[in-house]
Amino acid sequence: SAVGRGPEVPFSSEAYRISAASRGKELRLTLAPLGPAATQDLVFRFGMSGSFRLCPAAQLPRHAHLRFLTRESPPRALCFVDARRFGSWRLGDAWQLGRGPCVLSEYQAFRENVLKNLDDKAFDKPICEALLNQKFFNGIGNYLRAEILYRLKIPPFEKARTVLEALKDQEQARRKKNPSLTLSKKLKLIRENPDLLELCHTVPMEVIAAEKKLFDPDHSDNYAAFKNWLQCYLVPGMSSLRDRNGRTIWFQGEPGPMAPKGQTSRKKRAPLKADPEALTPKVTARASKRRPRAARKPPKSAEEEEQEVADGPRKGRARGRRKATAAPALSEPAAPVKARRSRRTSVRKGRGEAGSH
C-alpha cells in the first residue's frame, strides 16, 4: 500500500504457494512460484497490532499494507494488516541477528543459552527487564513476562542473575535427589513444579493451544476471551510500575529490591458500578465541567494500555500542556499578573491606612 513502511516486494507470479515458518517473534513467508521463477522470502515482525487476514480483494481492510492475491474469481487477498504500523517486513530468509533460540520451537537450546551465559551483563538487570531481552528470551513480550512472574510469585525487580542461578542450583539438586526417576515421572514433576524457564515455554503454548478460543479472526478487536485468560497483565487489583525501558510491568505484592526510585506503584482499578456522584459529594465547578467528557471515553483495550507505555514521554508532555490550558474561561479578559498583584497590594495598603486611623 502507499502508506506501508516496508520495502517493495519484487515478486510476481500467475500461480504460487505461500508457506510459513516462525521463530520467536518473527515469521518467515516463502513465496514459491509454480513456474520457473525464483522464490522470494520475507521475514515479518508484528509489532503490537500486526496480523494476517484473508478477505475479498474488493473489500480490503484498512491498513492492509501488503496483499497477496489469489487466482479465484472474484479474487481474495491475504493481507498483512497493521493499524499502528509498528510491524515490519524485510526481504530475504535470514532471521534477525542477535536473537537467541526460540522459547517455543527450540526450548532445550533456549534453556542452555540462558544458563550458560549468566555472567552476561544482561542479567545484572531486574528479571522483568531481562525477560524482554530477545538475545536470551526470544518470543517473550510484555504480557507474557507479567504472567510468568506472577505464577511463580517472583518480584519483577529482583535481580535476574539471583533468580536464574537459583534455577541452576535447583536443577542440579533435582538430578542428585532423584537419579532413578523415569522420564514420565520427571515430566510429571516438572509440570507440578515448573521453574521460570519452563514457564517461558509452557505459558506461550497455552495461548497457541487455545488460539481459536482466544482470538476470533472475524472480530480482531474483541479481547474478551484473551482478558479472561490473563491472570495478572491489566487485571484489576494488580500493581504496576514502569521499568527502565519505559515498559509497564504488572505484578502482585512487593516489586523487589531493584524497583525504580521515585515511582509509586499504581493499582489497576475495576470499573466503578456505583454512581460516581455518590462517591464525590463535593464537586468543584472545574471538575463538574470535565467529568462528562471523561465519562464518555470508552474503556481502553489491551493495545491502547500497551501503547500508553510506548508513548510514556509524550504522554507526560501532553499532560503538562493540558494543565497549562485547563484554566476555566473568564467572562472578562484576564488582567496581567502584575496588574492583579498591584491591585491586591493597593487594597492591603488601603486597609492598613484605615486601621491606623
Side-chain angles (χ1 to χ4, degrees):
S1 71
V3 295
R5 294 177 178 174
E8 292 287 337
V9 180
F11 178 84
S12 180
S13 177
E14 288 298 317
Y16 62 99
R17 289 195 179 97
I18 301 179
S19 58
S22 64
R23 184 174 186 267
K25 288 193 171 188
E26 296 182 295
L27 179 78
R28 180 170 63 211
L29 295 189
T30 298
L31 313 181
L34 300 184
T39 62
Q40 175 67 62
D41 290 294
L42 304 169
V43 177
F44 288 80
R45 291 180 62 190
F46 291 85
M48 192 182 299
S49 60
S51 66
F52 279 98
R53 197 176 307 171
L54 186 64
C55 59
Q59 300 174 16
L60 293 176
R62 294 184 62 191
H63 311 290
H65 299 307
L66 200 59
R67 305 106 183 223
F68 304 95
L69 301 177
T70 70
R71 298 186 70 189
E72 300 167 293
S73 183
R76 289 186 294 169
L78 178 66
C79 305
F80 177 64
V81 182
D82 185 15
R84 297 184 186 275
R85 293 193 289 179
F86 290 167
S88 62
W89 66 86
R90 61 184 183 276
L91 304 178
D93 61 354
W95 303 115
Q96 187 178 30
L97 294 175
R99 287 181 175 263
C102 175
V103 297
L104 290 172
S105 60
E106 302 166 300
Y107 171 67
Q108 275 308 131
F110 148 71
R111 188 179 183 92
E112 291 170 8
N113 185 46
V114 172
L115 294 179
K116 287 181 179 179
N117 291 286
L118 291 182
D119 58 344
D120 192 285
K121 63 182 180 180
F123 301 109
D124 293 334
K125 297 181 179 182
I127 185 63
C128 66
E129 294 179 15
L131 282 170
L132 295 185
N133 188 327
Q134 301 299 294
K135 179 180 178 182
F136 296 105
F137 297 90
N138 186 13
I140 300 299
N142 204 23
Y143 84 88
L144 286 171
R145 68 170 177 172
E147 295 299 310
I148 291 164
L149 294 175
Y150 169 78
R151 294 188 186 195
L152 294 172
K153 308 304 178 191
I154 295 175
F157 291 96
E158 184 64 69
K159 191 173 185 178
R161 188 175 291 107
T162 302
V163 174
L164 294 166
E165 281 181 344
L167 298 190
K168 203 171 184 179
D169 296 339
Q170 289 171 14
E171 191 173 77
Q172 291 173 352
R174 188 190 293 173
R175 288 175 181 173
K176 290 178 181 178
K177 189 176 180 181
N178 301 299
S180 60
L181 282 180
T182 63
L183 179 60
S184 61
K185 288 183 178 179
K186 285 181 181 178
L187 292 174
K188 182 181 178 183
L189 191 64
I190 289 172
R191 282 195 298 269
E192 292 174 351
N193 303 282
D195 65 26
L196 183 140
L197 297 180
E198 287 159 354
L199 286 187
C200 285
H201 173 74
T202 59
V203 173
M205 285 298 291
E206 286 180 20
V207 182
I208 292 172
E211 184 180 18
K212 291 181 181 179
K213 295 179 182 178
L214 294 181
F215 303 105
D216 183 346
D218 295 327
H219 301 87
S220 61
D221 59 344
N222 181 3
Y223 288 91
F226 179 61
K227 285 184 177 179
N228 288 336
W229 174 83
L230 293 169
Q231 298 179 32
C232 178
Y233 181 79
L234 291 176
V235 172
M238 297 296 162
S239 301
S240 67
L241 284 172
R242 289 190 181 183
D243 64 22
R244 289 166 181 80
N245 298 317
R247 306 290 301 278
T248 297
I249 175 68
W250 298 85
F251 61 95
Q252 186 178 54
E254 294 300 317
M258 298 182 73
K261 305 298 182 184
Q263 278 194 57
T264 55
S265 176
R266 299 171 296 158
K267 282 206 171 185
K268 178 77 173 176
R269 296 181 181 178
L272 290 175
K273 294 182 180 179
D275 180 6
E277 294 289 346
L279 301 176
T280 55
K282 293 182 180 179
V283 181
T284 63
R286 183 174 175 182
S288 64
K289 288 179 182 178
R290 293 174 65 181
R291 181 179 289 106
R293 184 172 58 192
R296 284 195 298 268
K297 289 182 179 178
K300 293 173 184 173
S301 68
E303 286 184 359
E304 289 170 329
E305 293 273 7
E306 183 77 6
Q307 180 62 17
E308 282 189 355
V309 176
D311 290 346
R314 293 197 294 274
K315 180 183 173 187
R317 290 198 295 270
R319 187 187 297 119
R321 288 197 295 271
R322 285 198 297 272
K323 286 182 178 178
T325 59
L330 300 176
S331 56
E332 296 179 4
V337 174
K338 288 184 178 179
R340 289 200 299 270
R341 286 178 181 168
S342 63
R343 199 156 45 236
R344 287 196 296 268
T345 305
S346 64
V347 170
R348 282 196 293 272
K349 285 182 179 178
R351 288 175 182 169
E353 289 171 2
S356 65
H357 284 95

